[in-house]
Amino acid sequence: MRLRSALRERPGTRTMQDRLVWQAASLLLAYPDDGQAERLDIVDELLGHINGPVAELLEKTVTALRAREPMAAAVDYVETFDMRRRATMYLTYWTAGDTRNRGREMLAFASAYRAAGVQPPRTEAPDHLPVVLEFAATVDPEAGRRLLTEHRVPIDVLRGALAEANSPYEPTVAAVCATLPAVTDQEVRRAERLAKAGPPAESVGLQPFTLTVPPRKGTPSV
C-alpha cells in the first residue's frame, strides 16, 4: 500500500495525519467480505501512527467489528448503508438526489480522479465515500480534501444517521469529519433540513443517465 510506505517520510505532519485517518476510514467503511480481517490488521498498523482523539474514534469501530461474526457484520452493513436512505455513502445522492444533476456531479468526481492520473474504479461509483477517502489518502490529498469538504454536509447527515442508529461505523465517520474544516451555522442548518426533508427530487421531466462507473448493488434508486 502506497500510504504505508509513505509513513517513513513525515508521519507527524497534519496532511499525513489526515491521510492516515482517511485510509483507515476507507478500510473500515468497506463491505465486510473475506478481506475484513486483513483490513482490520492494516488499520491497527495505521493507528500506531495516528495521534489524538481521532485514533480513539477509529479504534472504537475496529473493536466493534472484531467482536462481530462475519455473517452478522455483513447483514448489519447492508441494513445500515443500503436499506436506510439517510445512511447512504453515495455523496451526490444528498446534493442532487433524484435529479438529472446527479450524473453531472458524479462526473465531477470521476474527472477529479482522472486529473490526478488515475481511472475511476470499475466496481464502485466514484462518489462512494470509501472510494473518495481512498483517493484522498493514496492519490491526491489536496483534491481529495476538496471533494470531502465540498460534501461535508452529506457526510454530516450520514454521521447523524449512524449516531441515531447507534452504529459502530459512526465513530469512523466522526473521525473523517474531524479532518475537515469546522462547519458553519449555515451548513448545520442545511444538514438539518436535508436530514428532515430528504434529497432534492424532480417530479417531471426526469431522464435516466448513465453512471460513470457501475454502482455497487444497493445504490439508492435514481
Side-chain angles (χ1 to χ4, degrees):
M1 182 179 299
R2 186 185 314 176
L3 186 56
R4 292 166 75 184
S5 63
L7 290 175
R8 294 189 293 271
E9 298 174 4
R10 291 183 298 168
T13 65
R14 171 62 189 275
T15 296
M16 179 56 72
Q17 283 287 299
D18 290 348
R19 291 175 66 189
L20 293 171
V21 172
W22 296 335
Q23 179 67 91
S26 177
L27 295 169
L28 291 174
L29 294 174
Y31 177 78
D33 56 16
D34 292 340
Q36 175 84 321
E38 180 181 1
R39 286 194 297 271
L40 294 179
D41 288 343
I42 295 173
V43 173
D44 279 337
E45 180 182 346
L46 295 174
L47 284 173
H49 303 276
I50 299 175
N51 303 317
V54 289
E56 297 177 8
L57 291 170
L58 295 169
E59 181 61 38
K60 287 181 180 179
T61 301
V62 172
T63 300
L65 294 182
R66 285 197 185 279
R68 296 197 171 188
E69 294 293 329
M71 183 60 70
V75 171
D76 177 67
Y77 187 95
V78 171
E79 290 180 348
T80 298
F81 296 113
D82 295 343
M83 306 303 291
R84 296 187 179 101
R85 287 197 311 164
R86 284 185 57 203
T88 180
M89 289 196 285
Y90 292 92
L91 300 180
T92 63
Y93 182 68
W94 285 104
T95 56
D98 293 327
T99 74
R100 285 165 288 192
N101 292 334
R102 191 175 177 203
R104 183 176 65 246
E105 293 195 11
M106 292 182 78
L107 181 60
F109 280 86
S111 297
Y113 300 158
R114 292 191 178 98
V118 296
Q119 291 299 313
R122 296 182 180 276
T123 58
E124 187 54 272
D127 66 329
H128 195 232
L129 180 57
V131 172
V132 184
L133 290 167
E134 177 80 12
F135 170 76
T138 65
V139 179
D140 189 331
E142 185 174 330
R145 187 188 299 278
R146 174 178 57 78
L147 290 172
L148 291 168
T149 300
E150 289 175 351
H151 294 81
R152 172 64 188 263
V153 170
I155 295 172
D156 273 344
V157 173
L158 169 62
R159 188 204 57 75
L162 295 176
E164 289 181 6
N166 196 29
S167 169
Y169 296 102
E170 187 274 335
T172 288
V173 178
V176 172
C177 289
T179 68
L180 305 177
V183 294
T184 64
D185 291 341
Q186 182 179 6
E187 288 173 326
V188 171
R189 290 192 294 271
R190 183 184 171 206
E192 291 173 346
R193 289 196 301 270
L194 278 176
K196 182 177 181 180
E202 288 178 346
S203 58
V204 296
L206 181 64
Q207 298 295 326
F209 61 83
T210 301
L211 299 181
T212 306
V213 294
R216 180 171 59 84
K217 183 178 180 181
T219 303
S221 59
V222 292

